[in-house]
């Protein structure tokens, strides 16, 4: 086991404060120090991004799935599309509007 060292990201401050909000340091998890027990490298790389919303565990609740309907547009019938190359944001029809898509209901 190695000795504790001051976190190289937050310099021991445990995170950042913006007014009343406190954001814990992502490297040391707000401890202000790292050691062999809480070293970020020991936990592996974090995932690139969170899973898409329609795969969230909330959809396992039948009541929520019935109330919200489509997992993609949440019953709105439209989704927002970001075209990064063109720098535009536009609303497009959800695929559940045209047909009875499997993502519209839980199976």
């Amino acid at each position: 086991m190695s000795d504790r060292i001051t976190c190289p990201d937050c310099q021991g401050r445990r995170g950042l404060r913006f007014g009343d909000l406190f954001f814990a340091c992502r490297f040391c998890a707000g401890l202000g120090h790292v050691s062999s027990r809480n070293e970020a490298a020991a936990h592996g790389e974090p995932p690139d991004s969170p899973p898409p919303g329609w795969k969230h565990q909330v959809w396992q609740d039948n009541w929520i799935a019935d109330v919200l309907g489509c997992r993609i547009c949440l019953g709105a019938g439209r989704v927002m599309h970001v075209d990064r190359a063109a720098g535009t944001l536009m609303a497009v029809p959800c695929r559940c509007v045209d047909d009875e898509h499997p993502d519209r209901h839980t199976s």
Side-chain angles (χ1 to χ4, degrees):
M1 179 184 284
S2 63
D3 294 333
R4 291 181 177 183
I5 58 171
T6 302
C7 176
D9 277 7
C10 68
Q11 287 77 38
R13 292 187 305 266
R14 299 178 36 211
L16 295 173
R17 181 167 298 283
F18 295 102
D20 292 338
L21 297 175
F22 178 76
F23 296 96
C25 174
R26 294 177 65 189
F27 190 80
C28 68
L31 295 175
H33 63 272
V34 291
S35 65
S36 61
R37 300 178 111 193
N38 71 323
E39 188 173 348
H43 301 293
E45 291 294 317
D48 291 335
S49 63
W54 60 86
K55 290 186 179 180
H56 193 277
Q57 66 185 4
V58 73
W59 292 104
Q60 294 175 5
D61 184 332
N62 290 332
W63 183 85
I64 290 176
D66 289 342
V67 169
L68 295 178
C70 177
R71 295 178 182 201
I72 298 172
C73 69
L74 304 178
R78 300 182 73 70
V79 292
M80 300 306 290
H81 173 72
V82 177
D83 186 344
R84 292 177 190 251
T88 59
L89 174 70
M90 56 193 226
V92 295
C94 182
R95 60 185 176 185
C96 72
V97 173
D98 293 332
D99 58 3
E100 200 65 23
H101 194 273
D103 284 340
R104 185 169 172 85
H105 303 286
T106 58
S107 49

